[in-house]
Amino acid sequence: MEYRPRIIDAELAAALQASGAVQLKGPKWCGKTASASQQAASIVYMQNPDQAASNLEKARLKPSLLLEGETPRLIDEWQMAPQLWDAVRFAVDKRGGLPGQFILTGSTVPGEESMHSGVGRIARLVMRPMTLAESGESNQAVSLAALGRGESVEVADADMSIEALAHALCRGGWPAAVVGLGEQNALRVAPEYVASLLDSDVTRIDGVNRNAGRMRALMRSYARNIGTQASHGVIVADMAEADGSISPNTVSDYMDALRRVFVTDDLEAWNPALRSKTAVRTSPTRHYVDPSIAAALLGAGPDALMNDMETYGFLFESMCVRDLRVYAQGNGAEVRHYRDKTGLEADAVVVWPDGRWGLVEIKLGQHRVEEAAASLLKLEQRVDTEKLGNPAFKLVITGGDLAYTREDGVHVVPIAALGP
């Protein structure tokens, strides 16, 4: 399959220059192995059927055998033999901390109780599915980096219709769907992903046989609550309607399993210094790592979304958050969300380590830009800018076709014109 460059490529190259080993983690099918193999000099595939038994035996008896080879050496799906983590950490120490020795890729977080942290030896990178910029569907007329520098937005067109956005949302950012498949076949990938999760990946992640029906019910509840701050109690109550015998502890275990296979990707809250004593809500916003998972669970294809704009709006927000997180990570920043007790919110807040920050509202329809801009301007007034400084930008991301800056300074940018 054709390899399309990913934003993570530069991050991985930089990490290899600074650390003895790099852990590249993220959901299955997002392209970790393909990206890592572009920079690896040798590879061991722990899931290769011809060598799996032998590799596991080597890992049990003498894990250093698996580390022998040209560097950087890629160990794919290393979590199949968790002892490799400590073996890599020890090997980095023995080699004098020489950078660029190993790449560890995996789509599951193993039990880490017996593992050393790897701090100072193993850098960690998160990889997510493809953004619209990486799939070539965004023309990247506006970059997040430029916004973070306070640069203006020039008037520019986007090239995606709202129908095309709906298709991209349901298809998802899975490389197998983006590259080499026709439009209809590409829509089969996300449902197959969900089926694979429920068949084996998430129900037996740590040797525990979880009930696939309950897991599906939980995932459907997450899909119905996507883009909201639904509490654990709300999700428990939602599931109890179908299974009154389920306990909150069971739901917590199932939610943790989804997190450990990088399927859920909740957005944590931003807690800035405010001018008033307004209480900030700290509940995370519920998101999947890719909106196509939610669409598949809801049985919503592109045509269905076009006939249900409310659902489309929630899923569109999740797609924009996915892209923002990838763009922000590529710029050394993080994404959070804000909501206070008065209901004032920002769907996303981009925060840089040097203190820069930007406010983002996401609206599918162009007709809601005025409302979104007013909310951002109100929130700016509530933040204590004497302590935090002024925002680098105030941004409304839309499903429209024109990027521009309003007279009040708020930028309006279609998601199909945004890039890193």
Side-chain angles (χ1 to χ4, degrees):
M1 185 171 64
E2 171 197 354
Y3 181 74
R4 292 199 179 189
R6 305 291 297 274
I7 293 169
I8 199 80
D9 293 344
E11 299 172 56
L12 178 57
L16 285 170
Q17 291 176 7
S19 300
V22 180
Q23 179 194 14
L24 185 59
K25 55 187 179 179
K28 60 183 289 189
W29 300 8
C30 76
K32 299 182 299 299
T33 304
S35 291
S37 65
Q38 300 298 307
Q39 302 189 42
S42 65
I43 306 174
V44 54
Y45 296 101
M46 295 300 294
Q47 290 187 334
N48 182 342
D50 292 337
Q51 299 174 338
S54 173
N55 285 339
L56 289 175
E57 189 69 3
K58 288 177 183 178
R60 185 179 71 84
L61 296 174
K62 192 175 181 181
S64 61
L65 290 174
L66 293 172
L67 307 187
E68 296 175 359
E70 292 186 65
T71 59
R73 182 159 175 80
L74 167 59
I75 306 172
D76 187 50
E77 299 298 348
W78 70 272
Q79 77 282 348
M80 291 185 65
Q83 60 268 42
L84 288 173
W85 179 274
D86 284 343
V88 165
R89 181 192 59 81
F90 183 71
V92 170
D93 281 348
K94 281 190 66 178
R95 299 177 188 186
L98 196 66
Q101 297 299 297
F102 304 102
I103 306 171
L104 303 173
T105 58
S107 52
T108 304
V109 177
E112 298 180 348
E113 295 80 5
S114 62
M115 297 184 344
H116 294 278
S117 69
V119 171
R121 290 95 159 184
I122 306 175
R124 292 169 170 84
L125 290 177
V126 176
M127 188 172 185
R128 295 180 170 88
M130 279 182 154
T131 62
L132 294 182
E134 292 169 307
S135 65
E137 290 161 300
S138 169
N139 61 25
Q140 304 183 61
V142 180
S143 79
L144 184 64
L147 290 173
R149 294 191 294 267
E151 296 180 14
S152 60
V153 170
E154 301 295 331
V155 175
D157 290 319
D159 303 322
M160 286 187 79
S161 66
I162 195 169
E163 293 84 1
L165 282 169
H167 183 275
L169 187 161
C170 295
R171 179 206 64 208
W174 314 107
V178 173
V179 181
L181 292 180
E183 285 193 2
Q184 289 308 308
N185 285 334
L187 294 174
R188 299 175 183 270
V189 172
E192 289 174 2
Y193 182 89
V194 172
S196 175
L197 285 171
L198 294 172
D199 182 54
S200 61
D201 292 353
V202 78
T203 51
R204 294 196 297 272
I205 178 179
D206 45 15
V208 177
N209 289 321
R210 296 179 177 85
N211 183 290
R214 284 182 170 177
M215 185 62 77
R216 178 177 286 276
L218 170 60
M219 293 181 70
R220 282 183 58 82
S221 178
Y222 237 85
R224 287 192 293 268
N225 288 290
I226 201 164
T228 74
Q229 288 85 50
S231 67
H232 179 266
V234 167
I235 293 174
V236 170
D238 191 19
M239 292 181 65
E241 292 184 8
D243 184 355
S245 64
I246 194 166
S247 71
N249 286 341
T250 298
V251 174
S252 294
D253 173 75
Y254 280 36
M255 289 176 68
D256 183 62
L258 289 174
R259 178 191 61 81
R260 288 175 59 187
V261 293
F262 305 102
V263 172
T264 53
D265 200 13
D266 291 346
L267 195 61
E268 299 300 323
W270 182 55
N271 195 358
L274 300 177
R275 296 179 188 275
S276 64
K277 295 182 179 180
T278 304
V280 177
R281 304 300 190 196
T282 58
S283 298
T285 301
R286 305 299 182 184
H287 287 287
Y288 279 112
V289 74
D290 194 276
S292 64
I293 299 174
L297 287 159
L298 296 174
D303 291 340
L305 291 184
M306 292 300 299
N307 290 317
D308 182 355
M309 285 295 170
E310 183 177 7
T311 299
Y312 189 176
F314 281 111
L315 295 181
F316 175 75
E317 176 185 328
S318 195
M319 180 170 70
C320 294
V321 167
R322 176 201 67 192
D323 285 13
L324 266 178
R325 290 176 112 160
V326 176
Y327 301 156
Q329 182 177 305
N331 280 282
E334 295 183 332
V335 180
R336 296 287 185 262
H337 80 90
Y338 175 91
R339 184 178 178 86
D340 61 34
K341 69 176 184 180
T342 70
L344 187 61
E345 65 178 350
D347 294 323
V349 183
V350 184
V351 183
W352 276 265
D354 61 9
R356 288 175 294 152
W357 53 285
L359 299 174
V360 183
E361 273 283 88
I362 300 168
K363 301 297 180 187
L364 175 61
Q366 199 74 21
H367 65 286
R368 300 190 64 188
V369 167
E370 191 69 39
E371 166 197 345
S375 179
L376 293 176
L377 291 166
K378 186 175 181 180
L379 177 52
E380 180 186 19
Q381 294 302 311
R382 189 162 294 179
V383 173
D384 189 344
T385 52
E386 290 186 4
K387 292 183 178 179
L388 295 182
N390 294 317
F393 59 84
K394 299 177 288 293
L395 171 66
V396 181
I397 300 177
T398 74
D401 58 6
L402 186 65
Y404 61 97
T405 300
R406 293 162 43 101
E407 290 185 0
D408 55 18
V410 175
H411 306 305
V412 180
V413 179
I415 189 59
L418 189 63

